[in-house]
Amino acid sequence: MKFFIDTGNLAQIKEANELGILDGVTTNPSLMAKEGIKGEEAIAAHYKAICDLVDGDISAEVLSTEFSAMVEEGKKLAAIHPNIVVKVPMIKDGIKAIKWFTDNGIRTNCTLVFSAGQAILAAKAGATYVSPFIGRIDDSGWDGMELIGQMRHIYDIQGFKTEILAASIRNALHIIKAAEAGADVCTCPLDSILGLLKHPLTDIGLAKFLEDAKKM
Ligand code: E4P
């Protein structure tokens, strides 16, 4: 399973990248706004800075919701760096845009996916990645991880090549469960990635080893 970090924060991206296990970055308009990035030039410069930090796929989201505008915006985003993946919302014009990008050699990440039907449409349009939002599904009283399992099953029996990118990850257990369910990629906040490191027995065991090492 590939590991992406889900943030626009350069310090966090750098910290995760230094672990040596990072395969890419996802952003969204909320995450970019959180970093105070405003205006077309600043947005493009920020994506370029992320691409310079991480050698992997970097999702950059279109802000338009109409087909032609999405295509124009996506072309500009893709021109920033070869590693840019154009993130497109799961709406009717989004599916048309994903198909256009697919036919024109631009890679895409279909975002805001909450059902198997949406996942089938994204795959049919040729999306490189599809992003089911696990945490937001859990928040609404459904089981987000069930959707990952259902998508894995459908994609496998149908031979869809679209990669399942588990998104809206809230904790380390989500990452483990997404791996078990067969997600190809997990995009996570830094805290959830670091949460995988934690086990009290590791801390107790290391303290004992370091204590005994003094007797060596
Ligand atoms: C995915 O690419 C999105 O950026 C993200 O995972 C959304 O997560 P949230 O539900 O925590 O906002």
Side-chain angles (χ1 to χ4, degrees):
M1 186 172 75
K2 288 189 267 188
F3 265 72
F4 289 180
I5 187 168
D6 192 30
T7 183
N9 183 279
L10 296 179
Q12 290 188 13
I13 292 169
K14 193 164 178 286
E15 185 177 340
N17 198 39
E18 282 169 357
L19 285 171
I21 51 96
L22 199 64
D23 300 299
V25 180
T26 52
T27 60
N28 65 39
S30 307
L31 294 171
M32 293 289 278
K34 201 170 157 191
E35 298 308 313
I37 317 297
K38 271 187 195 159
E40 209 175 318
E41 270 181 33
I43 292 170
H46 200 73
Y47 287 138
K48 176 75 172 53
I50 295 174
C51 291
D52 289 344
L53 272 179
V54 178
D55 184 18
D57 287 349
I58 314 297
S59 286
E61 189 157 342
V62 296
L63 307 176
S64 318
T65 53
E66 185 274 322
F67 171 73
S68 315
M70 278 182 182
V71 165
E72 285 318 305
E73 212 186 318
K75 284 196 285 190
K76 283 187 198 163
L77 290 171
I80 294 171
H81 193 280
N83 288 353
I84 291 282
V85 174
V86 179
K87 206 172 178 188
V88 181
M90 166 43 75
I91 54 175
K92 198 170 168 188
D93 280 38
I95 288 299
K96 285 164 68 179
I98 289 170
K99 181 69 172 82
W100 188 93
F101 290 129
T102 305
D103 292 345
N104 288 276
I106 293 176
R107 295 176 309 139
T108 53
N109 173 358
C110 182
T111 189
L112 290 167
V113 165
F114 294 91
S115 76
Q118 292 177 327
I120 290 170
L121 272 181
K124 280 295 288 178
T128 314
Y129 297 103
V130 61
S131 293
F133 275 36
I134 303 311
R136 294 192 196 186
I137 295 174
D138 287 359
D139 290 345
S140 64
W142 298 69
D143 184 353
M145 223 44 81
E146 265 183 26
L147 176 59
I148 301 277
Q150 193 182 15
M151 285 170 59
R152 179 74 284 151
H153 178 66
I154 292 170
Y155 281 16
D156 286 350
I157 62 172
Q158 295 297 336
F160 288 134
K161 298 286 173 262
T162 299
E163 292 189 48
I164 301 170
L165 195 169
S168 186
I169 293 291
R170 299 277 157 79
N171 52 54
L173 185 59
H174 269 160
I175 302 175
I176 297 163
K177 291 284 178 192
E180 271 182 346
D184 298 291
V185 192
C186 206
T187 189
C188 332
L190 181 61
D191 282 354
S192 304
I193 298 175
L194 297 179
L196 292 172
L197 286 167
K198 290 183 195 156
H199 199 289
L201 290 179
T202 303
D203 299 338
I204 293 167
L206 182 60
K208 176 83 172 102
F209 284 158
L210 293 176
E211 188 54 36
D212 289 346
K214 291 178 195 155
K215 302 172 200 157
M216 284 164 65

